[in-house]
Amino acid sequence: MSNIEMLLSIMAQLRDPETGCPWDIKQDFDSIAPYTIEEAFEVAEAIALRDYPELKEELGDLLLQVVFHSQMAQEQGLFDFNEVVQVLCDKMVRRHPHVFAGTQADDEQAVKANWEQIKQQERTRKGREHNSTIDGVPAGLPALQRAGKVQKKAAKVGFDWRAPEPVREQVSRELAELDEALSSGHKDAIEDEFGDVLFTLVNLSRHLKIDPEQALRRATNKFERRFRVMEALQTRPLSLLDESALEAAWQEAKKASD
């Protein structure tokens, strides 16, 4: 028995209605979906940390999600794991004609153009013809990632700034509009303007060729590191310090951790 056959067998036993695990039996596509997303992020975290033993384990956890969904689909007569793999193999061959069909693709841009054209053909065959340039971006993506993808699609037809400087100016304008909303005290307006600030910052990151998700993760990690140092340096709980003492402790932690 191969490793993948063993994994499929284990999953089938876990889902057995009579002898399986009560938790596994209870699950459905909707309840498992959040775990699938979480495991993908844990893979990304292991990569960011260059923790390759952890990456090996997290990739296994992500594979388990595919097997879990496939088992539930098989139970409902929808498809099974082998069909998932077959569809994937067919798609990879179809979307790489420059490798498998002898067509020409001289550089990465040509590959991307071919890929998008083939994806559009696939959508048409499935009856999913898109009417807008920005169609095809999954609504379930993390907000920062989805914002970037929508912006990139719009940029393909020229709806974009040409340089980072005007985008930075737009950030200032959006912040001014947020200040106005804050003055009004209107919660919906504040949320709307705050969203505009974030959306414009994603646009700026794109022009600066910075991954906003990675940049925010890096900033959060820096804050976490400094905060832990600040806690370690204090002889009293932070909750007992007043505002000025907290600021002094923070500045001390920054010096000690940087």
Side-chain angles (χ1 to χ4, degrees), residues 178 181-182 184-194:
L178 175 59
L182 288 169
S184 74
H186 194 286
K187 184 176 179 181
D188 286 344
I190 293 171
E191 182 176 334
D192 189 54
E193 296 302 340
F194 186 78

Side-chain angles (χ1 to χ4, degrees), residues 183-204:
S183 298
S184 74
H186 194 286
K187 184 176 179 181
D188 286 344
I190 293 171
E191 182 176 334
D192 189 54
E193 296 302 340
F194 186 78
D196 288 347
V197 171
L198 289 177
F199 189 82
T200 309
L201 284 172
V202 171
N203 219 330
L204 180 59

Side-chain angles (χ1 to χ4, degrees), residues 1-257:
M1 179 183 293
S2 68
N3 286 343
I4 193 64
E5 289 172 331
M6 184 183 303
L7 177 58
L8 293 172
S9 175
I10 290 171
M11 191 71 252
Q13 291 180 59
L14 290 172
R15 289 279 298 179
D16 187 287
E18 296 181 358
T19 61
C21 169
W23 186 89
D24 290 278
I25 296 169
K26 184 180 178 181
Q27 305 312 308
D28 57 24
F29 293 122
D30 292 322
S31 66
I32 290 298
Y35 295 101
T36 307
I37 296 170
E38 182 179 340
E39 294 299 350
F41 277 112
E42 290 182 0
V43 167
E45 181 181 15
I47 292 171
L49 296 174
R50 299 296 185 265
D51 188 340
Y52 298 112
E54 184 69 14
L55 176 59
K56 177 174 63 175
E57 182 173 345
E58 295 301 342
L59 286 171
D61 291 344
L62 187 57
L63 175 59
L64 175 61
Q65 297 301 306
V66 178
V67 170
F68 207 141
H69 284 286
S70 299
Q71 174 64 32
M72 291 187 292
Q74 182 176 343
E75 294 165 2
Q76 298 179 38
L78 301 173
F79 55 81
D80 61 21
F81 179 80
N82 286 330
E83 290 175 273
V84 171
V85 175
Q86 185 62 60
V87 168
L88 175 59
C89 290
D90 292 344
K91 180 187 295 184
M92 295 305 291
V93 171
R94 185 172 62 250
R95 291 188 180 180
H96 293 83
H98 54 289
V99 176
F100 300 104
T103 62
Q104 190 72 20
D106 295 328
D107 54 30
E108 183 181 354
Q109 292 305 315
V111 171
K112 288 182 177 179
N114 287 342
W115 182 279
E116 289 300 326
Q117 182 180 7
I118 294 168
K119 283 178 65 177
Q120 180 59 43
Q121 293 169 353
E122 292 171 352
R123 287 193 289 261
T124 300
R125 285 196 299 270
K126 294 176 181 178
R128 299 176 185 171
E129 189 86 40
H130 292 295
N131 299 316
S132 171
T133 300
I134 59 174
D135 281 344
V137 180
L141 283 176
L144 289 179
Q145 186 179 356
R146 184 166 185 263
K149 284 185 174 292
V150 168
Q151 291 169 7
K152 286 179 182 178
K153 282 181 172 284
K156 287 181 179 180
V157 295
F159 192 76
D160 197 12
W161 280 285
R162 303 302 181 198
E165 290 76 18
V167 191
R168 175 61 185 86
E169 293 172 6
Q170 184 65 26
V171 172
S172 296
R173 287 192 287 270
E174 296 295 351
L175 284 169
E177 292 179 10
L178 175 59
D179 288 338
E180 291 180 14
L182 288 169
S183 298
S184 74
H186 194 286
K187 184 176 179 181
D188 286 344
I190 293 171
E191 182 176 334
D192 189 54
E193 296 302 340
F194 186 78
D196 288 347
V197 171
L198 289 177
F199 189 82
T200 309
L201 284 172
V202 171
N203 219 330
L204 180 59
S205 75
R206 187 169 55 85
H207 281 269
L208 295 175
K209 302 188 185 307
I210 292 172
D211 180 348
E213 195 78 37
Q214 182 176 335
L216 181 57
R217 187 181 299 113
R218 184 173 178 176
T220 303
N221 289 342
K222 179 169 62 177
F223 174 86
E224 182 179 9
R225 182 175 67 251
R226 289 174 174 176
F227 192 87
R228 291 180 185 277
V229 170
M230 181 172 67
E231 288 178 314
L233 290 174
Q234 301 308 305
T235 57
R236 293 186 297 163
L238 295 181
S239 59
L240 298 180
L241 303 183
D242 60 22
E243 186 175 343
S244 61
L246 282 171
E247 176 60 25
W250 178 252
Q251 295 302 325
E252 182 184 9
K254 286 175 63 176
K255 291 179 182 178
S257 62

